[in-house]
Amino acid sequence: MLKHLLTSSLFCVIFFCGEKPVLAQNETSEIQSMTLKQPSYLKAGDTVAIVAPSGVLKNRTKEVEQAKSLLKNWGLNPVVGKHVFSKANHFAGTDNDRCEDFQNALDDPSIRAIWCARGGYGTVRILDKLDYSKFNKNPKWVIGYSDITALHNQIHNNGVESIHAMMCTSLQDDLSTIEETISSLKNAVFGNPLSYTLTGSKYNKTGDASGQLVGGNLTMLHTMLGSKTSINTSGKILFIEEIGEYKYHIDRMLQSLKRAGYFENCKGLIVGDMSKLRKNTTLWGTSIEQLILDAFSDYNFPIAFNMPAGHEKDNRALIMGRTIQLEVNSEQSSIIFQ
């Protein structure tokens, strides 16, 4: 009897303290690859909340007013969060202020989409303060990019699609210069067909793939690593973009993610804008494209460069969590949302 108990106890220790059992891995993979909930597409008369979960919007009233006008032109009803123009040092109000606005937007059944006013930094500070229970039962579109990647990751792990797209502060320019950016967001939220043909690149790694689209800002993906908000990319197609980093910083983040197994069983990579890269006194020695190819040299999935999404004027909308068909050639690449 004692021998039997010791044997059973040893089995339990090995089972729970060792590597995850195959069954648990398969169960996790099944959960991660299942079809996500799709919030209802918008229609005339729907209400869209404008909130600021990150950086302060100092002197950005004009852009928020332009955002309201744009939504009204689309037949939508914009409402602005109480704390959007609040200031608490770097942030658009205290963590509790920003959380309150976002929570109200998540919970209010009359609000059909949440449009983030700007990114910057700060979303990660409210992620664990938010209650997604009502949102999960009544999902709505959450829209933004950059720092909002933290929310895209969390929402994906909640089993809901979201939209990586322009924010209110993107409207600081002449709107005629960002027509494609604006029209792609409109197509995404109203449910019009979404597909892109990308300019070819000699750095493209050719091939075809199909899978859910995940990702966003590289720094934020790296920030989420090791937390419950980090995404399992197995069987999925990863999108990355970045701004204002040294090349060696980008390589360091990619190597860190790689060592953590982040890219294992990934189906493909789409590279967006790598904007305003900083120059170090010791030059990296290769292009940013070659840096990325080198970091992914151990993987056989296709890699497409030149996706117009990120911190540039041409920032096309991407439905995160939606299955896409990716075809990569040296002359061009295509992305078709299913």
Side-chain angles (χ1 to χ4, degrees):
M1 181 66 177
L2 178 61
K3 182 179 178 181
H4 174 73
L5 289 173
L6 287 173
T7 304
S8 299
S9 299
L10 180 60
F11 174 78
C12 290
V13 170
I14 293 172
F15 186 84
F16 287 106
C17 296
E19 294 296 322
K20 290 182 179 179
V22 174
L23 179 59
Q25 288 176 334
N26 289 341
E27 286 173 349
T28 299
S29 177
E30 182 179 350
I31 292 170
Q32 292 288 346
S33 61
M34 67 181 180
T35 302
L36 272 61
K37 292 180 182 178
Q38 175 188 295
S40 298
Y41 290 122
L42 301 187
K43 60 184 184 303
D46 281 347
T47 297
V48 177
I50 295 174
V51 298
S54 302
V56 64
L57 277 93
K58 185 178 180 180
N59 301 322
R60 309 304 284 269
T61 307
K62 178 182 177 182
E63 288 93 320
V64 173
E65 288 301 317
Q66 283 185 302
K68 289 167 61 179
S69 295
L70 181 67
L71 293 173
K72 289 178 181 177
N73 287 339
W74 292 352
L76 302 172
N77 173 41
V79 294
V80 178
K82 180 172 66 174
H83 299 292
V84 163
F85 294 108
S86 296
K87 181 179 179 181
N89 299 317
H90 176 93
F91 308 106
T94 66
D95 291 351
N96 287 338
D97 288 341
R98 302 192 319 282
C99 183
E100 179 186 346
D101 275 2
F102 208 91
Q103 189 68 63
N104 288 340
L106 286 174
D107 293 347
D108 189 339
S110 70
I111 291 173
R112 302 311 311 149
I114 304 171
W115 195 10
C116 297
R118 67 157 293 188
Y121 169 69
T123 301
V124 68
R125 294 167 60 106
I126 69 170
L127 274 183
D128 297 330
K129 296 176 179 289
L130 294 168
D131 179 354
Y132 302 92
S133 56
K134 292 184 179 179
F135 170 80
N136 292 336
K137 293 178 181 178
N138 185 31
K140 58 196 70 179
W141 295 110
V142 174
I143 306 162
Y145 70 103
S146 191
D147 194 59
I148 310 307
T149 296
L151 282 163
H152 291 310
N153 279 227
Q154 179 64 61
I155 290 167
H156 180 88
N157 287 344
N158 283 10
V160 179
E161 294 180 354
S162 58
I163 299 176
H164 182 285
M166 62 177 281
M167 296 181 283
C168 299
T169 52
S170 304
L171 298 170
Q172 58 188 295
D173 301 304
D174 179 352
L175 299 192
S176 65
T177 67
I178 55 171
E179 288 182 354
E180 294 287 352
T181 297
I182 294 172
S183 65
S184 71
L185 173 58
K186 185 177 182 181
N187 286 334
V189 297
F190 283 102
N192 298 323
L194 206 59
S195 64
Y196 300 114
T197 300
L198 313 185
T199 303
S201 169
K202 65 179 182 180
Y203 296 101
N204 279 356
K205 191 170 181 178
T206 61
D208 299 343
S210 178
Q212 289 178 356
L213 181 64
V214 296
N217 179 258
L218 180 60
T219 293
M220 296 310 300
L221 298 178
H222 186 254
T223 300
M224 300 296 106
L225 189 62
S227 75
K228 62 183 179 182
T229 310
S230 188
I231 287 179
N232 179 350
T233 67
S234 180
K236 300 172 186 176
I237 296 174
L238 180 66
F239 162 75
I240 59 172
E241 61 85 23
E242 192 51 89
I243 184 172
E245 291 287 355
Y246 293 105
K247 288 181 181 178
Y248 78 87
H249 281 187
I250 291 175
D251 186 71
R252 180 164 59 194
M253 288 188 285
L254 290 175
Q255 296 297 335
S256 178
L257 289 164
K258 180 180 179 179
R259 294 185 68 241
Y262 196 80
F263 309 123
E264 296 296 328
N265 301 314
C266 192
K267 298 288 289 294
L269 176 69
I270 299 171
V271 182
D273 296 316
M274 295 285 157
S275 303
K276 298 180 181 178
L277 296 181
R278 302 169 70 182
K279 290 185 178 181
N280 192 36
T281 52
T282 303
L283 297 180
W284 180 259
T286 71
S287 66
I288 186 62
E289 291 88 353
Q290 189 60 53
L291 181 160
I292 292 170
L293 283 182
D294 290 344
F296 286 88
S297 61
D298 293 339
Y299 308 103
N300 294 321
F301 48 70
I303 300 177
F305 290 90
N306 295 330
M307 175 64 212
H311 289 77
E312 299 291 342
K313 287 185 178 181
D314 194 357
N315 181 15
R316 310 291 177 89
L318 300 168
I319 304 177
M320 310 308 286
R322 180 68 58 85
T323 297
I324 64 169
Q325 182 66 41
L326 172 66
E327 297 181 4
V328 184
N329 297 298
S330 57
E331 297 80 14
Q332 68 177 35
S333 300
S334 65
I335 299 170
I336 301 173
F337 288 81
Q338 302 298 308

